Amino acid sequence: MVDKSLIGMLVVLNAIAAGVLYNRFHDHPQVQLIESHVLEWYHHVFPPKTPDRCGALKWPSYVLVSDRVVFPDGDVRPGAVYIEGTKIAEITENTTVTVPHVLNFKDAVISPGVIDVHIHLNEPGRVEWEGMINGTRAAVSGGVTTLIDMPLNSDPVTTDIEQLEAKKKLAKTKSFANLGFWAGLVPGNAHNHTRLAELLDGGALGFKSFMCPSGINDFANVEADDIAAALPFLKARGVPFFVHAEVVSEVEADKAADPTEYATYMASRPPKFEQDAIRLLVKLLEADSSVAAPGFLVHVAHLADAEALEIIREARGRGLPIQVETCAHYLTFSAEEVPQGATQYKCAPPIRGAANKDALTKAVASGEIVLVSSDHSPAPPSLKETQSGNFLRAWGGISGVQYLLPATWTALQAIGVDLRGLALVLSEEPARLAGLASRKGKLAPGFDADIVVWEPQTPANTSVALNRHTHKLSPYTDRPLMGKVIATVVGGELSSLFGNVNQQPCGTVITKRD
């Protein structure tokens, strides 16, 4: 006869998996303790066949069930997602599952894992800013399953094969999410196609440049001749060219302006900087007659100025391979609401006015802006000038990868974007940019089992207490955002459940485009 206590424990496990107990108490330490004990009991009663599995669940295969699954065709309907090893084996509308290992999440949404193509993990060299461990743990707790790391602000920067190899080595043992890398394209390597080829052959997914000073001395900004020299190589290899598009020109400064006022900083980086840079990129694309292989495009990073969209729209209308992203913070905040001295809001390009924010949000909804990223770029409080509140001296960077999903959803659902639209800008299009569209970005058979389970109608917890970034200073703190992440699966491994991240890093290093 089966012990009734075991039946009781299995009932509790099912309740936890369904999210019943956690709707109100999921952040309580005693509830988290119960969760860990239940999983221990579950694995004791049914010993796993592969006890060396990385994630919290030790079964070689299991099934996720929900009334709301985002199917590959974009429709949202009841379904079951079968996971075997690291892959999705099947996705079906039949929710009557007879296999022994099932997690039924009731009406929580099962979506493809979020892919953040723009994040600064700063390792090696500046782990005190943010490192792979804390940065990827924060990402996973927020439903982000894949990250593509920028070549700065690590020290040294990733502009040669030696530094790329160093990053890959660290990621193998430290990353809780899948992690790939952009390489840096700077004046020192832009004219040397052999050095650029070494970076691609070593596993870089594409290249990133700054058209203005980056703030890091050994990551110099490119000029027009540098871009022109690199374009034939980038086009021949069919890889994206990721560009921080601002060209700095002289601005008449008000010497009496208060540096603790956000308007003072915003005036120092006018929209003209972005518009001039994008016009130059279009001109360089027009001037280069070399043939582009599939996969090449100029990707304008973190667009802040909605008026610059007209330049991109016109260029795309003439068939030029250029596209644009924006960031969650540009869809969430507006210049009018930034408090005096609140340097956690400083980023480059600056957050602009409310009308601009609305225009960017509509452009994402229409597909004119193809994807949304976090541009997670934290720094120690001393560099953020938290004591002085001086925007002109503070390091520019928003801390926010943990909030990419709820912040984007909150902005987009307010203007009618549905779950399919969200998956497009947070999963499918990022996968396409990174060259991963044949294995990531959708819940489809044969695709990597990168999955987020979340509740769109439930508020996200944006408290300092649950902020997993190295530094807790963030404009998202206590911001009302919708979309609570329930579980995150990374490569088939249950890596986060109700905010509790697995103790062992389960991410894989991505070194190959499709």
Side-chain angles (χ1 to χ4, degrees), residues 58-69:
K58 302 302 180 183
W59 305 105
S61 61
Y62 58 97
V63 184
L64 306 181
V65 175
S66 171
D67 293 336
R68 292 189 289 176
V69 176

Side-chain angles (χ1 to χ4, degrees), residues 305-327:
D305 173 44
E307 291 185 2
L309 285 168
E310 178 59 33
I311 306 169
I312 296 170
R313 186 182 305 123
E314 193 274 336
R316 287 177 60 84
R318 290 186 286 114
L320 293 178
I322 185 169
Q323 68 176 32
V324 62
E325 73 173 44
T326 193
C327 297

Side-chain angles (χ1 to χ4, degrees), residues 249-333:
S249 54
E250 187 174 351
V251 176
E252 185 174 346
D254 180 359
K255 295 182 179 179
D258 184 353
T260 68
E261 292 289 346
Y262 185 72
T264 302
Y265 168 62
M266 188 166 60
S268 73
R269 292 187 92 118
K272 181 179 185 298
F273 287 8
E274 291 185 82
Q275 295 168 17
D276 286 351
I278 293 170
R279 288 193 183 95
L280 177 56
L281 288 170
V282 170
K283 181 179 179 181
L284 291 168
L285 279 173
E286 289 176 323
D288 187 274
S289 60
S290 60
V291 178
F296 167 77
L297 51 81
V298 170
H299 181 83
V300 176
H302 48 49
L303 186 76
D305 173 44
E307 291 185 2
L309 285 168
E310 178 59 33
I311 306 169
I312 296 170
R313 186 182 305 123
E314 193 274 336
R316 287 177 60 84
R318 290 186 286 114
L320 293 178
I322 185 169
Q323 68 176 32
V324 62
E325 73 173 44
T326 193
C327 297
H329 46 267
Y330 297 126
L331 307 179
T332 303
F333 308 109

Side-chain angles (χ1 to χ4, degrees), residues 82 90 97 100 105 184 203 208-209 212 217 255 257 270 300 307 370 398 403 430 437 483:
Y82 287 74
E90 183 182 4
V97 179
F105 289 98
K208 167 70 180 292
S209 287
C212 62
N217 291 335
K255 295 182 179 179
V300 176
E307 291 185 2
V370 298
I398 298 287
Y403 311 116

Side-chain angles (χ1 to χ4, degrees), residues 17 41 136 160 167 232 346 397:
W41 265 93
T136 60
D160 59 47
K167 276 199 172 185
K346 181 179 178 179

Side-chain angles (χ1 to χ4, degrees), residues 21-36:
L21 293 180
Y22 279 76
N23 282 340
R24 185 172 298 176
F25 305 113
H26 73 282
D27 296 333
H28 195 282
Q30 291 301 317
V31 176
Q32 295 177 359
L33 183 62
I34 290 171
E35 175 202 329
S36 63

